[in-house]
Amino acid sequence: MAGLLLPPAAVALSVPAAVLPAWYADRTRQCCRPDGLPQYVERVRRGLSDR
């Protein structure tokens, strides 16, 4: 019984475990890419002042 249930469960869990980190990394790379040093410095200042 376990031989029939565990492989599909493993696939069902491993697909999101592989896709979600890749999606998140791509998403954060796109929104946080500074256009140059001044924009980067400004974003860092805003991020530090929010704490």
Side-chain angles (χ1 to χ4, degrees), residues 15-40:
V15 170
V19 172
L20 288 176
W23 172 82
Y24 180 75
D26 184 57
R27 179 83 170 172
T28 57
R29 180 183 56 86
Q30 288 177 355
C31 75
C32 298
R33 184 183 314 153
D35 297 329
L37 185 60
Q39 288 86 4
Y40 175 76

